[in-house]
Amino acid sequence: MADDANNIIYIELSQIQLPDTKERFFANSRYVRYGEDNNFNVFLENLRDTAPLHNAILTSKAEQAFGEGLTLDTQNLTAKMWSAKCNEQNDINEIYYRCLQDLILYGGYYLEVIWAQDGTIAELYHIPFGRIRAGKKDLMSRTISEYLYCVDWLKVYTYGYTSIPLFDLKNRTGRQIYAYRNYVAGREFYPLPDYVSALAYIALEKEIANYGLSEIRNSFGGSNVINFRNGIPSEEQQQRIKERIQQQLTSSDNAGKLLIMFSPDSDHSPEISNIQTSNSADKYIQVEKSVLQNVLSAHRVVSPLLVGIRTENNGLGSNANEIENAFEMWSNVVIKPYQAKVLKALNLLAMFTPNYDGWKYEPTTIGPITFTFSEATLTQILTKNELRDKIGYEPIKTDTIIENPQN
């Protein structure tokens, strides 16, 4: 933006750009685009890798949902052997954990089933979610007829893609894809993660970190003026100067807003000055608090301690009962549904493994943090019978306690 009357050029910081998540289908394409640029998964992965709070929550969700892995409700040797080696590289727990990670990050997961000639499952693989694109829907059945696999959709013209049929129990041959997607009204081909409402705040978390780092590096904090005091160049020269400065000094990677001015005085060199903003530190703190609250809410974190985050309002000395109650709610509302969505697939597929006799997988969980107290503390806060119960002794009945007789 330029002010011709005063020879002033304004340069605004880059805006946070969120990708369009719409599903797009082109007539000459076999697959539906995953977002406008067909790489919405890359955007989600970048947020995971660059936003610390978001990353911590994703990691905690996956680890708590995985717990100590799956257990079998049978001693069946065939079931144990299958679970220990679902393919040449992975056991069932590795597949389970990867599916949980994809479900939590993207809102869905994919499994590849390799059928044996006798109609049982010979091998089972997890396929990274970002490597699959949904094909057209069959006009009669209104179901997706195929999935397309590419190792890197950013380089699809280099690698090409492979068609893999949809999982079909009526045609148990070759290789097929079992697809799970969170249902989202208005979407037919790709899911959205359950934290989608906070994408702007998660992106802002990344930008805040970049801004703080760049402000220290570049000493361009707040708003700045660059005043060239050696004459007024032509509009074309002004534009070139603006573009060169904009490339190097704007966006959150180079914190600050610049105001460029040209003056006719040729006796002085360019002058750089800072325009002080009021209450910038307070505003920065408020933005951070807003990011924290909105990201936690979108992830349905009922207590930050559950995901290893300590805030000014909760510390390690918080009420133990409150933490246990928060964990119970978190487990029932967030963690168990994640487990159920993956176990549904694994237990269904288990029915088609060799010599299946009704066995199934059960999930495990990690409980909340518990507190231990010293012996001295316990003797001060517990009664004698409570202490006896804690170490496994029977309580002393009050009617059997005999006081020393007084003659």
Side-chain angles (χ1 to χ4, degrees), residues 135-154:
K136 300 176 182 180
K137 279 195 171 184
D138 183 273
L139 295 179
M140 297 297 293
S141 65
R142 297 300 299 160
T143 59
I144 298 171
S145 59
E146 65 175 346
Y147 285 92
L148 291 308
Y149 174 92
C150 179
V151 68
D152 185 354
W153 285 93
L154 288 171

Side-chain angles (χ1 to χ4, degrees), residues 56-249:
I57 296 173
L58 291 173
T59 302
S60 294
K61 280 183 172 181
E63 290 180 349
Q64 291 182 37
F66 181 75
E68 297 179 357
L70 297 173
T71 60
L72 275 170
D73 66 350
T74 180
Q75 296 299 316
N76 183 304
L77 182 59
T78 303
K80 290 184 176 181
M81 292 177 61
W82 161 257
S83 300
K85 195 172 184 181
C86 298
N87 57 61
E88 289 299 320
Q89 299 175 334
N90 307 122
D91 63 21
I92 194 65
N93 275 317
E94 290 170 323
I95 293 174
Y96 177 52
Y97 187 62
R98 294 178 185 185
C99 289
L100 285 171
Q101 285 187 310
D102 281 2
L103 176 63
I104 293 167
L105 179 60
Y106 307 105
Y109 61 87
Y110 296 110
L111 291 166
E112 181 182 18
V113 177
I114 309 295
W115 294 103
Q117 291 185 351
D118 62 359
T120 61
I121 297 177
E123 294 179 283
L124 179 66
Y125 293 87
H126 161 266
I127 301 181
F129 193 85
R131 295 184 181 181
I132 296 295
R133 295 294 181 268
K136 300 176 182 180
K137 279 195 171 184
D138 183 273
L139 295 179
M140 297 297 293
S141 65
R142 297 300 299 160
T143 59
I144 298 171
S145 59
E146 65 175 346
Y147 285 92
L148 291 308
Y149 174 92
C150 179
V151 68
D152 185 354
W153 285 93
L154 288 171
K155 301 177 181 178
V156 63
Y157 296 109
T158 300
Y159 294 110
Y161 53 74
T162 302
S163 174
I164 306 177
L166 180 67
F167 180 76
D168 184 2
L169 290 176
K170 296 179 180 179
N171 180 29
R172 302 202 299 268
T173 59
R175 56 193 297 218
Q176 298 176 349
I177 283 189
Y178 180 98
Y180 177 84
R181 303 183 304 276
N182 281 338
Y183 172 75
V184 179
R187 297 183 68 86
E188 298 184 69
F189 300 93
Y190 301 105
L192 289 173
D194 52 14
Y195 56 84
V196 65
S197 61
L199 286 179
Y201 286 96
I202 296 168
L204 181 57
E205 181 193 359
K206 168 189 172 183
E207 297 299 317
I208 289 173
N210 285 343
Y211 184 92
L213 178 61
S214 298
E215 193 171 33
I216 294 173
R217 282 179 176 173
N218 305 322
S219 71
F220 269 92
S223 298
N224 296 272
V225 176
I226 299 181
N227 186 7
F228 291 90
R229 305 175 65 180
N230 56 351
I232 302 175
S234 66
E235 289 187 7
E236 183 179 351
Q237 290 174 320
Q238 290 183 33
Q239 183 63 27
R240 286 203 300 268
I241 293 171
K242 170 191 172 182
E243 290 174 355
R244 290 182 63 185
I245 294 176
Q246 193 170 33
Q247 290 173 1
Q248 298 180 40
L249 298 178

Side-chain angles (χ1 to χ4, degrees), residues 198-395:
L199 286 179
Y201 286 96
I202 296 168
L204 181 57
E205 181 193 359
K206 168 189 172 183
E207 297 299 317
I208 289 173
N210 285 343
Y211 184 92
L213 178 61
S214 298
E215 193 171 33
I216 294 173
R217 282 179 176 173
N218 305 322
S219 71
F220 269 92
S223 298
N224 296 272
V225 176
I226 299 181
N227 186 7
F228 291 90
R229 305 175 65 180
N230 56 351
I232 302 175
S234 66
E235 289 187 7
E236 183 179 351
Q237 290 174 320
Q238 290 183 33
Q239 183 63 27
R240 286 203 300 268
I241 293 171
K242 170 191 172 182
E243 290 174 355
R244 290 182 63 185
I245 294 176
Q246 193 170 33
Q247 290 173 1
Q248 298 180 40
L249 298 178
T250 59
S251 85
S252 66
D253 291 326
N254 295 280
K257 182 193 298 181
L258 302 179
L259 176 65
I260 299 177
M261 302 178 66
F262 298 92
S263 303
D265 187 350
S266 60
D267 295 332
H268 299 84
S269 59
E271 175 186 349
I272 301 176
S273 56
N274 178 263
I275 300 174
Q276 296 296 328
T277 58
S278 60
N279 301 322
S280 59
D282 292 339
K283 292 178 181 178
Y284 188 86
I285 293 172
Q286 290 303 317
V287 170
E288 283 191 312
K289 288 182 177 179
S290 179
V291 167
L292 175 64
Q293 184 59 48
N294 282 280
V295 174
L296 290 175
S297 297
H299 278 289
R300 297 171 293 166
V301 179
V302 293
S303 170
L305 284 175
L306 295 175
V307 292
I309 298 170
R310 180 176 178 179
T311 67
E312 59 186 19
N313 296 323
N314 61 74
L316 296 179
S318 295
N319 185 278
N321 289 334
E322 183 179 336
I323 295 174
E324 290 178 359
N325 291 336
F327 176 81
E328 189 69 21
M329 181 184 297
W330 165 259
S331 178
N332 289 328
V333 174
V334 180
I335 300 302
K336 289 182 180 178
Y338 285 141
Q339 294 174 326
K341 290 172 182 177
V342 179
L343 282 174
K344 179 182 178 180
L346 297 183
N347 280 324
L348 170 65
L349 297 175
M351 296 170 62
F352 299 93
T353 57
N355 301 318
Y356 176 75
D357 64 356
W359 54 270
K360 65 178 182 178
Y361 296 111
E362 297 288 349
T364 60
T365 57
I366 301 175
I369 299 172
T370 57
F371 298 90
T372 58
F373 300 93
S374 66
E375 182 179 342
T377 301
L378 290 174
T379 56
Q380 291 179 5
I381 62 176
L382 298 180
T383 65
K384 182 176 291 186
N385 277 343
E386 287 173 334
L387 287 170
R388 291 176 65 87
D389 180 67
K390 193 171 184 66
I391 61 176
Y393 281 33
E394 291 292 328

